[in-house]
Amino acid sequence: MVEITDRHIHCVYFQFDNPNDLKGHCLLKDENIQQGFKPCCEYIVLRPFEILAYFLKHNHYCEDWECADKKAVEYLDRAGFNTYPRIVKK
């Protein structure tokens, strides 16, 4: 069995303004989170990016995580999916 990450930062319910700041807010439980890389709750729902990257790596479409992450981002951009919270490009 392959375990998938359980960190706040990978959950769709974790909202943050600055990806370099580990603080955020859990939309589901309406509570502040001080450390985005700490384990999330039992209701975690992975962001589309995380699911795609794990699929690409574990099914050997990519040899390493860098490749999997790059291909996941490329696909989401090409398909126009929201990467929630939406990344604003300036």
Coordinates of all heavy atoms in Angstrom, one line a residue:
M1 N 0.8 -1.2 0.0 CA 0.0 0.0 0.0 C 0.9 1.2 0.0 O 1.8 1.3 0.7 CB -0.9 0.0 1.2 CG -1.8 1.2 1.3 SD -3.0 1.0 2.7 CE -2.9 2.6 3.4
V2 N 0.5 2.2 -0.8 CA 1.3 3.5 -0.9 C 0.6 4.5 0.0 O -0.6 4.7 -0.1 CB 1.3 4.0 -2.4 CG1 2.0 5.3 -2.4 CG2 2.0 3.0 -3.2
E3 N 1.3 5.1 0.9 CA 0.7 6.1 1.7 C 0.9 7.5 1.0 O 2.0 7.8 0.5 CB 1.4 6.1 3.1 CG 1.0 5.0 3.9 CD 1.4 5.1 5.4 OE1 1.5 6.2 5.9 OE2 1.7 4.1 5.9
I4 N -0.1 8.3 1.1 CA -0.1 9.6 0.5 C 0.0 10.6 1.7 O -0.4 10.3 2.7 CB -1.3 9.9 -0.3 CG1 -1.3 8.9 -1.6 CG2 -1.4 11.3 -0.8 CD1 -2.5 9.1 -2.5
T5 N 0.6 11.7 1.4 CA 0.9 12.7 2.4 C -0.4 13.1 3.2 O -1.5 12.9 2.7 CB 1.4 14.0 1.7 OG1 1.7 14.9 2.7 CG2 0.4 14.6 0.8
D6 N -0.2 13.5 4.4 CA -1.3 13.9 5.3 C -1.1 15.2 5.9 O -1.5 15.5 7.0 CB -1.6 12.8 6.3 CG -0.4 12.7 7.3 OD1 0.7 13.3 7.0 OD2 -0.6 12.0 8.3
R7 N -0.3 16.1 5.2 CA 0.0 17.4 5.7 C -1.1 18.4 5.4 O -1.7 18.4 4.3 CB 1.4 17.8 5.2 CG 2.4 16.9 5.8 CD 3.8 17.3 5.3 NE 3.9 17.0 3.9 CZ 5.1 17.1 3.2 NH1 6.1 17.5 3.8 NH2 5.1 16.8 1.9
H8 N -1.3 19.4 6.3 CA -2.3 20.5 6.0 C -2.1 21.1 4.6 O -3.0 21.3 3.9 CB -2.1 21.6 7.1 CG -2.6 21.2 8.4 ND1 -3.9 21.0 8.7 CD2 -1.9 21.0 9.6 CE1 -4.0 20.7 10.0 NE2 -2.8 20.7 10.6
I9 N -0.8 21.4 4.3 CA -0.5 22.2 3.1 C -1.0 21.4 1.8 O -1.3 22.1 0.8 CB 1.0 22.5 3.0 CG1 1.2 23.6 2.0 CG2 1.8 21.3 2.7 CD1 2.1 24.7 2.4
H10 N -1.2 20.1 1.9 CA -1.7 19.4 0.7 C -3.2 19.2 0.7 O -3.7 18.5 -0.2 CB -1.0 18.0 0.7 CG 0.5 18.2 0.5 ND1 1.4 17.3 1.0 CD2 1.2 19.1 -0.1 CE1 2.6 17.7 0.7 NE2 2.6 18.8 0.0
C11 N -3.9 19.7 1.7 CA -5.3 19.5 1.8 C -6.1 20.7 1.1 O -5.7 21.9 1.3 CB -5.7 19.4 3.2 SG -7.5 19.1 3.5
V12 N -7.2 20.4 0.4 CA -8.0 21.5 -0.2 C -8.6 22.4 0.9 O -8.9 23.6 0.5 CB -9.1 21.0 -1.1 CG1 -8.5 20.2 -2.3 CG2 -10.1 20.1 -0.4
Y13 N -8.8 22.0 2.1 CA -9.4 22.8 3.1 C -8.4 23.8 3.7 O -8.8 24.7 4.5 CB -10.0 22.0 4.2 CG -11.1 21.1 3.7 CD1 -11.1 19.7 3.8 CD2 -12.3 21.7 3.2 CE1 -12.2 19.0 3.4 CE2 -13.4 21.0 2.8 CZ -13.3 19.6 2.9 OH -14.4 18.8 2.5
F14 N -7.1 23.6 3.5 CA -6.1 24.5 4.0 C -5.9 25.7 3.2 O -5.5 25.6 2.0 CB -4.7 23.7 4.2 CG -3.6 24.5 4.8 CD1 -3.7 24.9 6.2 CD2 -2.5 24.9 4.1 CE1 -2.7 25.6 6.8 CE2 -1.5 25.7 4.7 CZ -1.6 26.0 6.1
Q15 N -6.2 26.9 3.7 CA -6.1 28.1 3.0 C -4.9 28.9 3.5 O -4.8 29.0 4.7 CB -7.4 28.9 3.1 CG -7.4 30.2 2.4 CD -8.7 30.9 2.6 OE1 -9.2 31.0 3.7 NE2 -9.3 31.5 1.5
F16 N -4.1 29.4 2.6 CA -3.0 30.2 3.0 C -2.8 31.3 2.0 O -3.1 31.2 0.8 CB -1.7 29.4 3.1 CG -1.3 28.6 1.9 CD1 -0.4 29.2 1.0 CD2 -1.9 27.4 1.6 CE1 -0.1 28.5 -0.2 CE2 -1.5 26.7 0.5 CZ -0.6 27.3 -0.4
D17 N -2.2 32.4 2.4 CA -2.0 33.6 1.6 C -0.5 33.6 1.0 O -0.3 34.0 -0.1 CB -2.2 34.9 2.3 CG -3.6 35.1 2.7 OD1 -4.5 34.7 1.9 OD2 -3.9 35.6 3.8
N18 N 0.4 33.1 1.8 CA 1.8 33.1 1.4 C 2.4 31.7 1.4 O 2.5 31.1 2.5 CB 2.6 34.1 2.3 CG 4.0 34.2 2.0 OD1 4.6 33.5 1.1 ND2 4.7 35.1 2.7
P19 N 2.7 31.1 0.3 CA 3.3 29.8 0.3 C 4.6 29.6 1.0 O 5.0 28.5 1.4 CB 3.4 29.4 -1.2 CG 3.4 30.7 -1.9 CD 2.7 31.7 -1.1
N20 N 5.3 30.7 1.3 CA 6.5 30.7 2.1 C 6.3 30.8 3.6 O 7.2 30.7 4.4 CB 7.4 31.8 1.6 CG 7.8 31.6 0.2 OD1 8.1 30.5 -0.2 ND2 7.8 32.7 -0.5
D21 N 5.0 31.1 4.0 CA 4.7 31.1 5.4 C 3.8 29.9 5.7 O 2.9 29.6 5.1 CB 3.8 32.4 5.6 CG 3.5 32.6 7.1 OD1 3.9 31.8 7.9 OD2 2.9 33.7 7.4
L22 N 4.2 29.2 6.7 CA 3.5 27.9 7.0 C 2.2 28.0 7.8 O 1.6 27.1 8.1 CB 4.5 27.0 7.8 CG 5.8 26.7 7.1 CD1 6.7 25.8 7.9 CD2 5.5 26.0 5.8
K23 N 1.8 29.3 8.1 CA 0.6 29.5 8.8 C -0.6 29.5 7.8 O -0.4 29.9 6.7 CB 0.6 30.8 9.6 CG 1.6 30.8 10.7 CD 1.6 32.1 11.4 CE 2.7 32.1 12.5 NZ 2.8 33.4 13.1
G24 N -1.8 29.1 8.3 CA -2.9 29.1 7.4 C -4.2 28.9 8.2 O -4.2 29.1 9.4
H25 N -5.2 28.5 7.5 CA -6.6 28.4 8.1 C -7.3 27.2 7.5 O -7.3 27.0 6.3 CB -7.4 29.7 7.8 CG -8.7 29.7 8.5 ND1 -8.8 30.1 9.8 CD2 -9.9 29.4 8.1 CE1 -10.1 30.0 10.2 NE2 -10.8 29.6 9.2
C26 N -7.8 26.4 8.4 CA -8.6 25.2 7.9 C -10.1 25.7 7.7 O -10.8 26.1 8.6 CB -8.6 24.1 9.0 SG -9.7 22.7 8.5
L27 N -10.5 25.6 6.4 CA -11.8 26.1 6.1 C -12.9 25.1 6.6 O -14.0 25.6 7.0 CB -12.0 26.2 4.6 CG -11.0 27.2 3.9 CD1 -11.1 27.1 2.4 CD2 -11.4 28.6 4.3
L28 N -12.6 23.9 6.7 CA -13.5 22.9 7.2 C -13.9 23.0 8.7 O -15.0 23.1 9.1 CB -13.0 21.4 6.9 CG -14.0 20.3 7.3 CD1 -15.2 20.3 6.5 CD2 -13.3 19.0 7.2
K29 N -12.8 23.2 9.5 CA -13.0 23.3 10.9 C -13.0 24.7 11.4 O -13.2 25.0 12.6 CB -11.9 22.5 11.6 CG -11.9 21.0 11.4 CD -10.9 20.3 12.2 CE -11.1 18.8 12.2 NZ -10.1 18.1 13.0
D30 N -12.8 25.7 10.5 CA -12.8 27.1 10.8 C -11.8 27.4 12.0 O -12.2 27.9 13.0 CB -14.2 27.6 11.1 CG -14.2 29.1 11.2 OD1 -13.3 29.8 10.5 OD2 -15.1 29.7 11.8
E31 N -10.6 26.9 11.8 CA -9.6 27.2 12.8 C -8.2 27.5 12.2 O -7.9 27.1 11.1 CB -9.4 26.0 13.8 CG -8.9 24.7 13.1 CD -8.8 23.5 14.0 OE1 -9.7 23.4 14.9 OE2 -7.9 22.7 13.9
N32 N -7.4 28.3 12.9 CA -6.1 28.7 12.4 C -5.1 27.6 12.6 O -5.2 26.8 13.6 CB -5.6 29.9 13.2 CG -6.4 31.2 12.8 OD1 -6.9 31.3 11.7 ND2 -6.6 32.1 13.7
I33 N -4.3 27.4 11.6 CA -3.2 26.4 11.6 C -1.9 27.1 11.7 O -1.6 27.9 10.8 CB -3.3 25.5 10.3 CG1 -4.7 24.9 10.2 CG2 -2.2 24.4 10.3 CD1 -5.1 23.9 11.2
Q34 N -1.1 26.7 12.6 CA 0.2 27.4 12.8 C 1.3 26.7 12.0 O 2.3 27.4 11.7 CB 0.6 27.4 14.3 CG -0.3 28.2 15.2 CD -0.4 29.6 14.7 OE1 0.7 30.3 14.5 NE2 -1.6 30.2 14.6
Q35 N 1.2 25.5 11.6 CA 2.2 24.7 10.9 C 1.6 23.9 9.8 O 1.0 22.9 10.0 CB 3.0 23.9 11.9 CG 4.1 23.0 11.4 CD 5.2 23.7 10.7 OE1 5.2 23.9 9.5 NE2 6.1 24.2 11.5
G36 N 1.7 24.4 8.6 CA 1.1 23.7 7.4 C 1.7 22.3 7.1 O 1.1 21.5 6.4
F37 N 2.9 22.1 7.6 CA 3.5 20.8 7.3 C 3.3 19.8 8.4 O 3.9 18.7 8.4 CB 5.0 20.9 7.0 CG 5.3 21.5 5.7 CD1 5.6 22.9 5.5 CD2 5.2 20.7 4.6 CE1 5.8 23.4 4.3 CE2 5.4 21.2 3.3 CZ 5.8 22.6 3.1
K38 N 2.4 20.1 9.4 CA 2.1 19.1 10.4 C 1.0 18.2 9.9 O 0.3 18.6 8.9 CB 1.6 19.9 11.7 CG 2.7 20.7 12.3 CD 3.3 19.9 13.4 CE 4.4 20.8 14.0 NZ 4.6 20.6 15.4
P39 N 0.7 17.1 10.5 CA -0.3 16.1 10.1 C -1.7 16.8 10.1 O -2.0 17.6 11.0 CB -0.3 15.0 11.1 CG 1.1 15.0 11.6 CD 1.5 16.5 11.6
C40 N -2.5 16.5 9.1 CA -3.8 17.1 8.9 C -4.8 16.1 9.6 O -4.4 15.1 10.2 CB -4.2 17.2 7.4 SG -5.6 18.2 7.1
C41 N -6.1 16.5 9.6 CA -7.1 15.7 10.3 C -7.6 14.5 9.4 O -7.1 14.3 8.3 CB -8.3 16.6 10.7 SG -9.2 17.2 9.3
E42 N -8.5 13.8 9.9 CA -9.0 12.6 9.2 C -9.8 12.9 8.0 O -10.2 12.1 7.2 CB -9.8 11.7 10.1 CG -11.1 12.3 10.7 CD -10.9 13.1 11.9 OE1 -9.8 13.5 12.3 OE2 -11.9 13.4 12.6
Y43 N -10.2 14.2 7.8 CA -11.0 14.6 6.7 C -10.2 15.2 5.5 O -10.8 15.9 4.7 CB -12.0 15.7 7.2 CG -12.9 15.2 8.3 CD1 -12.8 15.7 9.5 CD2 -13.8 14.2 8.0 CE1 -13.6 15.2 10.6 CE2 -14.6 13.7 9.0 CZ -14.5 14.2 10.3 OH -15.3 13.8 11.3
I44 N -8.9 14.9 5.5 CA -8.1 15.5 4.4 C -8.6 15.1 3.0 O -9.0 14.0 2.8 CB -6.6 15.1 4.6 CG1 -5.7 15.8 3.6 CG2 -6.4 13.6 4.5 CD1 -4.2 15.6 3.9
V45 N -8.6 16.1 2.2 CA -8.9 15.9 0.8 C -7.7 16.5 0.0 O -7.5 17.7 0.1 CB -10.2 16.6 0.4 CG1 -10.5 16.5 -1.1 CG2 -11.4 16.1 1.2
L46 N -7.0 15.7 -0.7 CA -5.8 16.1 -1.4 C -6.1 17.1 -2.5 O -7.1 16.9 -3.2 CB -5.0 15.0 -1.9 CG -4.3 14.1 -0.8 CD1 -3.6 12.9 -1.5 CD2 -3.4 14.9 0.0
R47 N -5.3 18.0 -2.7 CA -5.4 19.0 -3.9 C -5.1 18.2 -5.1 O -4.4 17.2 -5.2 CB -4.3 20.1 -3.7 CG -4.5 20.9 -2.5 CD -3.4 21.9 -2.4 NE -3.4 22.6 -1.1 CZ -4.1 23.7 -0.9 NH1 -4.8 24.3 -1.9 NH2 -4.2 24.2 0.3
P48 N -5.7 18.6 -6.3 CA -5.5 17.9 -7.5 C -4.0 17.7 -7.9 O -3.6 16.6 -8.4 CB -6.2 18.8 -8.5 CG -7.2 19.5 -7.8 CD -6.6 19.7 -6.4
F49 N -3.2 18.7 -7.6 CA -1.8 18.6 -7.9 C -1.1 17.4 -7.2 O -0.4 16.7 -7.8 CB -1.1 19.9 -7.5 CG 0.4 19.8 -7.5 CD1 1.1 19.9 -8.7 CD2 1.1 19.5 -6.3 CE1 2.5 19.7 -8.7 CE2 2.5 19.4 -6.3 CZ 3.2 19.5 -7.5
E50 N -1.5 17.2 -5.9 CA -0.9 16.1 -5.2 C -1.3 14.7 -5.7 O -0.5 13.8 -5.9 CB -1.3 16.2 -3.7 CG -0.8 17.4 -3.0 CD 0.7 17.6 -3.0 OE1 1.4 16.5 -2.9 OE2 1.2 18.7 -3.0
I51 N -2.6 14.6 -6.1 CA -3.0 13.3 -6.6 C -2.4 13.0 -7.9 O -1.9 11.9 -8.1 CB -4.6 13.4 -6.8 CG1 -5.2 13.5 -5.4 CG2 -5.1 12.1 -7.5 CD1 -6.7 13.8 -5.4
L52 N -2.3 14.0 -8.8 CA -1.6 13.8 -10.1 C -0.1 13.4 -9.9 O 0.4 12.5 -10.6 CB -1.7 15.0 -11.0 CG -3.1 15.2 -11.6 CD1 -3.1 16.6 -12.3 CD2 -3.4 14.2 -12.6
A53 N 0.6 14.2 -9.1 CA 2.0 13.9 -8.9 C 2.2 12.5 -8.3 O 3.1 11.8 -8.8 CB 2.6 14.9 -8.0
Y54 N 1.4 12.1 -7.4 CA 1.6 10.7 -6.8 C 1.3 9.7 -7.9 O 2.0 8.7 -8.0 CB 0.7 10.5 -5.6 CG 1.3 10.9 -4.3 CD1 1.3 12.2 -3.9 CD2 2.0 10.0 -3.6 CE1 1.9 12.6 -2.7 CE2 2.7 10.4 -2.4 CZ 2.6 11.7 -2.0 OH 3.2 12.0 -0.8
F55 N 0.2 9.9 -8.7 CA -0.1 9.0 -9.8 C 1.1 8.8 -10.7 O 1.5 7.7 -11.1 CB -1.4 9.4 -10.5 CG -1.7 8.6 -11.7 CD1 -2.3 7.4 -11.6 CD2 -1.3 9.1 -13.0 CE1 -2.6 6.6 -12.7 CE2 -1.6 8.4 -14.1 CZ -2.2 7.1 -14.0
L56 N 1.6 9.9 -11.2 CA 2.7 9.9 -12.2 C 3.9 9.2 -11.7 O 4.6 8.4 -12.4 CB 3.0 11.3 -12.6 CG 1.9 12.1 -13.4 CD1 2.3 13.5 -13.5 CD2 1.8 11.4 -14.8
K57 N 4.3 9.5 -10.4 CA 5.5 8.8 -9.8 C 5.3 7.4 -9.5 O 6.1 6.5 -9.9 CB 5.8 9.6 -8.5 CG 7.0 9.0 -7.7 CD 8.3 9.1 -8.5 CE 9.5 8.7 -7.6 NZ 9.7 7.3 -7.5
H58 N 4.2 7.0 -8.9 CA 4.0 5.6 -8.5 C 3.6 4.7 -9.6 O 3.7 3.5 -9.5 CB 2.9 5.6 -7.3 CG 3.5 6.1 -6.1 ND1 4.4 5.5 -5.3 CD2 3.2 7.3 -5.4 CE1 4.7 6.3 -4.3 NE2 4.0 7.4 -4.3
N59 N 3.1 5.2 -10.7 CA 2.8 4.4 -11.8 C 3.9 4.5 -12.9 O 3.7 4.1 -14.0 CB 1.4 4.8 -12.4 CG 0.3 4.3 -11.5 OD1 0.1 3.1 -11.4 ND2 -0.4 5.2 -10.9
H60 N 5.0 5.0 -12.5 CA 6.3 5.0 -13.3 C 6.2 5.8 -14.6 O 6.8 5.5 -15.6 CB 6.7 3.6 -13.6 CG 6.8 2.8 -12.3 ND1 7.8 3.0 -11.4 CD2 6.1 1.8 -11.9 CE1 7.6 2.1 -10.4 NE2 6.6 1.4 -10.6
Y61 N 5.3 6.8 -14.6 CA 5.3 7.7 -15.8 C 6.5 8.7 -15.6 O 6.9 9.3 -16.6 CB 4.0 8.5 -15.9 CG 2.8 7.6 -16.3 CD1 1.9 7.1 -15.3 CD2 2.7 7.2 -17.6 CE1 0.9 6.3 -15.7 CE2 1.6 6.4 -18.0 CZ 0.7 6.0 -17.0 OH -0.3 5.1 -17.4
C62 N 6.9 8.9 -14.4 CA 8.1 9.8 -14.1 C 9.0 9.0 -13.2 O 8.6 8.3 -12.3 CB 7.6 11.0 -13.4 SG 6.7 12.1 -14.4
E63 N 10.3 9.2 -13.4 CA 11.3 8.6 -12.6 C 11.5 9.2 -11.2 O 11.9 8.5 -10.2 CB 12.7 8.6 -13.3 CG 12.6 7.7 -14.6 CD 12.4 6.2 -14.3 OE1 13.1 5.7 -13.3 OE2 11.7 5.6 -15.0
D64 N 11.2 10.5 -11.1 CA 11.5 11.2 -9.8 C 10.4 12.2 -9.5 O 9.5 12.5 -10.4 CB 12.8 11.9 -9.8 CG 13.0 12.8 -10.9 OD1 12.1 13.6 -11.2 OD2 14.1 12.8 -11.5
W65 N 10.4 12.8 -8.3 CA 9.3 13.7 -7.9 C 9.4 15.0 -8.7 O 8.4 15.6 -8.9 CB 9.4 13.9 -6.4 CG 9.0 12.8 -5.6 CD1 9.7 11.9 -4.9 CD2 7.6 12.2 -5.5 NE1 9.0 10.9 -4.3 CE2 7.7 11.1 -4.7 CE3 6.4 12.6 -6.1 CZ2 6.5 10.4 -4.4 CZ3 5.3 11.9 -5.8 CH2 5.3 10.8 -5.0
E66 N 10.6 15.4 -9.0 CA 10.7 16.7 -9.8 C 9.9 16.6 -11.1 O 9.2 17.5 -11.5 CB 12.2 17.0 -10.0 CG 12.4 18.3 -10.7 CD 13.8 18.7 -10.9 OE1 14.7 18.0 -10.4 OE2 14.1 19.7 -11.6
C67 N 10.1 15.5 -11.8 CA 9.4 15.2 -13.1 C 7.9 15.2 -12.8 O 7.1 15.8 -13.6 CB 9.9 14.0 -13.7 SG 9.0 13.4 -15.1
A68 N 7.5 14.4 -11.8 CA 6.1 14.3 -11.5 C 5.4 15.6 -11.2 O 4.3 15.9 -11.7 CB 5.9 13.3 -10.4
D69 N 6.1 16.4 -10.4 CA 5.5 17.7 -10.0 C 5.4 18.6 -11.3 O 4.4 19.3 -11.5 CB 6.4 18.4 -9.0 CG 6.3 17.8 -7.6 OD1 5.5 16.9 -7.4 OD2 7.2 18.1 -6.8
K70 N 6.4 18.6 -12.1 CA 6.4 19.4 -13.3 C 5.3 19.0 -14.2 O 4.6 19.9 -14.7 CB 7.8 19.3 -14.0 CG 7.9 20.1 -15.3 CD 9.2 20.0 -15.9 CE 9.2 20.7 -17.2 NZ 10.2 20.3 -18.2
K71 N 5.1 17.7 -14.5 CA 4.1 17.3 -15.4 C 2.7 17.5 -14.8 O 1.8 17.8 -15.5 CB 4.3 15.8 -15.7 CG 5.5 15.5 -16.6 CD 5.5 14.1 -17.1 CE 6.6 13.8 -18.0 NZ 6.5 14.6 -19.3
A72 N 2.5 17.4 -13.5 CA 1.3 17.7 -12.9 C 0.9 19.2 -13.0 O -0.3 19.5 -13.4 CB 1.3 17.3 -11.4
V73 N 1.8 20.1 -12.8 CA 1.6 21.5 -13.0 C 1.2 21.8 -14.4 O 0.3 22.5 -14.7 CB 2.8 22.3 -12.5 CG1 2.6 23.8 -13.0 CG2 2.9 22.3 -11.0
E74 N 2.0 21.2 -15.4 CA 1.8 21.4 -16.8 C 0.3 21.0 -17.2 O -0.4 21.7 -17.9 CB 2.8 20.7 -17.6 CG 4.2 21.3 -17.6 CD 5.2 20.4 -18.3 OE1 4.9 19.3 -18.8 OE2 6.4 20.9 -18.4
Y75 N -0.1 19.9 -16.7 CA -1.4 19.4 -17.0 C -2.5 20.3 -16.5 O -3.5 20.6 -17.1 CB -1.6 17.9 -16.5 CG -3.0 17.4 -16.8 CD1 -3.4 17.1 -18.1 CD2 -3.9 17.4 -15.8 CE1 -4.7 16.6 -18.3 CE2 -5.2 17.0 -16.0 CZ -5.6 16.6 -17.3 OH -6.9 16.2 -17.5
L76 N -2.4 20.6 -15.2 CA -3.4 21.5 -14.6 C -3.5 22.8 -15.3 O -4.6 23.4 -15.5 CB -3.0 21.7 -13.1 CG -3.3 20.5 -12.2 CD1 -2.7 20.7 -10.8 CD2 -4.7 20.0 -12.2
D77 N -2.3 23.4 -15.7 CA -2.3 24.7 -16.4 C -3.0 24.5 -17.8 O -3.8 25.3 -18.2 CB -0.9 25.2 -16.6 CG -0.3 25.8 -15.4 OD1 -1.1 26.1 -14.4 OD2 0.9 26.0 -15.3
R78 N -2.6 23.4 -18.5 CA -3.2 23.2 -19.8 C -4.7 23.0 -19.7 O -5.4 23.4 -20.6 CB -2.5 22.0 -20.4 CG -2.7 21.8 -21.9 CD -1.9 20.8 -22.5 NE -1.9 19.5 -21.9 CZ -0.9 18.9 -21.2 NH1 0.2 19.5 -21.1 NH2 -1.0 17.7 -20.7
A79 N -5.1 22.2 -18.7 CA -6.6 21.9 -18.6 C -7.4 23.1 -18.0 O -8.6 23.1 -18.1 CB -6.7 20.7 -17.7
G80 N -6.7 24.0 -17.4 CA -7.4 25.1 -16.8 C -8.0 24.8 -15.4 O -8.9 25.6 -15.0
F81 N -7.5 23.8 -14.7 CA -8.1 23.4 -13.4 C -7.6 24.4 -12.4 O -6.5 24.9 -12.4 CB -7.7 22.0 -13.0 CG -8.4 20.9 -13.7 CD1 -7.6 19.9 -14.3 CD2 -9.7 20.9 -13.8 CE1 -8.2 18.9 -15.0 CE2 -10.4 19.9 -14.5 CZ -9.6 18.9 -15.1
N82 N -8.5 24.7 -11.4 CA -8.1 25.5 -10.2 C -7.2 24.7 -9.3 O -7.5 23.6 -9.0 CB -9.4 25.9 -9.5 CG -9.1 26.8 -8.3 OD1 -8.0 27.2 -8.1 ND2 -10.2 27.2 -7.7
T83 N -6.1 25.3 -9.0 CA -5.1 24.6 -8.1 C -5.4 24.9 -6.6 O -4.6 24.6 -5.8 CB -3.7 25.0 -8.4 OG1 -3.5 26.4 -8.4 CG2 -3.3 24.5 -9.8
Y84 N -6.4 25.5 -6.3 CA -6.9 25.9 -5.0 C -5.9 25.8 -3.9 O -5.4 24.8 -3.6 CB -8.1 25.1 -4.6 CG -8.8 25.7 -3.4 CD1 -9.6 26.8 -3.4 CD2 -8.5 25.2 -2.1 CE1 -10.1 27.3 -2.3 CE2 -9.0 25.7 -1.0 CZ -9.8 26.8 -1.1 OH -10.3 27.3 0.0
P85 N -5.7 26.9 -3.1 CA -6.2 28.2 -3.5 C -5.5 28.7 -4.7 O -4.4 28.4 -5.0 CB -5.8 29.1 -2.3 CG -4.7 28.4 -1.6 CD -4.8 26.9 -1.9
R86 N -6.3 29.3 -5.6 CA -5.8 29.8 -6.9 C -4.5 30.5 -6.8 O -4.4 31.4 -5.9 CB -6.9 30.6 -7.6 CG -6.4 31.0 -9.0 CD -7.5 31.6 -9.8 NE -8.5 30.6 -10.2 CZ -8.4 29.7 -11.1 NH1 -7.3 29.6 -11.8 NH2 -9.4 28.9 -11.4
I87 N -3.6 30.2 -7.6 CA -2.3 30.9 -7.7 C -2.5 32.0 -8.6 O -2.9 31.9 -9.8 CB -1.2 29.9 -8.2 CG1 -1.0 28.8 -7.2 CG2 0.1 30.7 -8.4 CD1 -0.1 27.6 -7.7
V88 N -2.3 33.2 -8.1 CA -2.4 34.4 -8.9 C -1.1 34.7 -9.6 O -0.1 34.9 -9.0 CB -2.9 35.6 -8.1 CG1 -3.0 36.9 -8.9 CG2 -4.2 35.3 -7.4
K89 N -1.1 34.8 -10.9 CA 0.1 35.1 -11.7 C 0.1 36.6 -12.0 O -0.9 37.1 -12.5 CB 0.2 34.3 -13.0 CG 0.3 32.8 -12.7 CD 0.4 32.0 -13.9 CE 0.5 30.5 -13.6 NZ 0.4 29.7 -14.7
K90 N 1.2 37.3 -11.6 CA 1.3 38.7 -11.8 C 2.0 39.0 -13.1 O 2.9 38.3 -13.5 CB 1.9 39.4 -10.6 CG 1.1 39.2 -9.4 CD 1.7 39.9 -8.2 CE 0.8 39.6 -7.0 NZ 1.3 40.3 -5.8

